[in-house]
Amino acid sequence: SEITRKKDLLGRYGGEEFLIVFPECGGEQARRILERLRENMETHIIHTPKSGEIQVTLRAGIAELEESDGVEELIRRADKALYHAKNIGRNKVIHG
């Protein structure tokens, strides 16, 4: 909430995945917002009783809404970009 805008929508989408909708935002602006979020997350260490210290990283895939898109197509492209980020390593933001 510190990094996203008030009009952005955030929700859980699957087990460890979240979906952020950036209304009135192009792909490059979304990438900058997610890069700030990624950088912010990687500096935080979570302390747990069982595992000790855990560093959190972020992988993100970005898709821009096109005129011909339905919701399913937009999510499919974002998911494809996310899986590309997962395949090339940790802590990546990919604009698909």
Side-chain angles (χ1 to χ4, degrees), residues 34-75:
L34 289 170
E35 281 292 347
R36 281 197 318 267
L37 178 59
R38 184 192 63 74
E39 290 168 1
N40 184 285
M41 288 178 69
E42 74 182 355
T43 64
H44 286 67
I45 303 295
I46 298 172
H47 300 278
T48 67
K50 277 188 169 181
S51 304
E53 293 184 347
I54 298 173
Q55 181 180 13
V56 178
T57 59
L58 176 131
R59 292 182 193 118
I62 300 168
E64 292 183 67
L65 183 65
E66 297 176 7
E67 259 185 64
S68 61
D69 280 345
V71 173
E72 294 83 14
E73 177 60 20
L74 180 63
I75 291 173

